[in-house]
Amino acid sequence: MINRPDQFCMLALAVGTALARDQTRELGVGLITSGSRFVWVVKNNIVDKEDGQELEEVIGHELMERVKEKGLIVKSWVQQEDILSHPAVGGFLSHCGWNSVMEAAWNGVRILAWPQNGDQKVNADVVERIGLGTWVRSWGWSGEKLVGGAEIAERIRECMGNESLRIQAMGIKEDARKAVGFGGSSDKGLTELISMWNQF
Ligand SMILES: *[C@@H]1O[C@H](CO)[C@@H](O)[C@H](O)[C@H]1NC(C)=O
């Protein structure tokens, strides 16, 4: 499983702030039904909580158990770039902060964009234009409407299964490395991450 490249989708979303609770639950349902393995990086400011505890508080115990069957829940101490640079990770559901877009481009990871503010919308537009990913404009802003789990699952499937998108993203990676030169990426936290992958 782990050695087959390109089948994980990563998302790094703040729990309880950027997305409302009911939207976070739909996201959980969408991930489970997408058929994709995933890594959910839970960002928060509360350092003393156990892994996934705050997520469970939002989506409930039952859904959390199902999420954990298909995915890895990791705390934000895991550097996002360490996950994006792993060969098993092919997709990134992202709000499209600039650093996230840069890291995805550097690692050839295609983006399913879900911007939540003006700057992120500008970045999502760039992502689409350069062929790094897709942006479902009808999902709107956070809180504007509730995007259902089935719709999220469908879009994740499309993004993960889109061969031309995969090839374009890999091309962007090659271009980026040609421009900047190989190496340079930090491997901080990677050892811990690899041990987590190996539990699958
Ligand atoms: C794949 O993604 C591209 C955008 O890069 C899009 O134009 C195309 O319709 C997608 N193909 C499928 C089968 O979804």
Side-chain angles (χ1 to χ4, degrees):
M1 266 291 181
I2 306 152
N3 295 329
R4 259 186 51 208
D6 205 46
Q7 57 165 353
F8 274 81
C9 175
M10 167 184 151
L11 61 159
L13 303 177
V15 167
T17 51
L19 293 181
R21 298 171 82 86
D22 50 358
Q23 185 61 80
T24 304
R25 269 183 232 115
E26 292 301 318
L27 190 55
V29 171
L31 285 163
I32 293 166
T33 49
S34 71
S36 190
R37 295 275 194 175
F38 56 88
V39 182
W40 191 333
V41 181
V42 178
K43 295 181 161 181
N44 65 20
N45 300 317
I46 311 159
V47 287
D48 60 345
K49 290 219 175 183
E50 280 175 38
D51 281 13
Q53 190 187 327
E54 59 281 281
L55 183 59
E56 181 161 339
E57 282 165 10
V58 171
I59 69 175
H61 180 70
E62 202 182 316
L63 182 54
M64 186 69 176
E65 288 304 303
R66 292 170 62 206
V67 163
K68 285 198 286 196
E69 281 168 22
K70 290 278 183 64
L72 287 172
I73 310 293
V74 299
K75 295 270 279 189
S76 50
W77 57 258
V78 178
Q79 295 298 307
Q80 178 171 300
E81 173 129 40
D82 292 340
I83 301 174
L84 289 173
S85 64
H86 194 287
V89 174
F92 184 13
L93 174 53
S94 174
H95 289 332
C96 289
W98 187 246
N99 287 343
S100 294
V101 172
M102 286 299 98
E103 286 168 13
W106 179 252
N107 291 293
V109 173
R110 54 204 178 276
I111 289 180
L112 177 56
W114 195 357
Q116 304 289 315
N117 65 41
D119 284 351
Q120 293 170 351
K121 282 195 174 186
V122 172
N123 300 342
D125 193 52
V126 171
V127 163
E128 248 189 359
R129 273 191 289 113
I130 65 175
L132 183 61
T134 53
W135 171 14
V136 191
R137 284 176 171 75
S138 64
W139 285 6
W141 301 88
S142 175
E144 209 172 25
K145 61 184 272 200
L146 184 65
V147 181
E151 160 81 5
I152 293 170
E154 183 59 31
R155 298 303 185 154
I156 292 173
R157 266 196 298 272
E158 269 173 25
C159 179
M160 296 305 288
N162 190 327
E163 183 64 10
S164 69
L165 204 53
R166 188 185 71 79
I167 291 166
Q168 282 176 81
M170 292 312 288
I172 289 167
K173 169 183 174 173
E174 278 167 30
D175 290 349
R177 292 184 187 225
K178 266 184 224 144
V180 177
F182 282 85
S185 185
S186 138
D187 64 358
K188 195 162 56 111
L190 196 58
T191 315
E192 284 135 304
L193 185 66
I194 287 168
S195 71
M196 292 177 84
W197 291 111
N198 286 340
Q199 288 166 19
F200 260 92

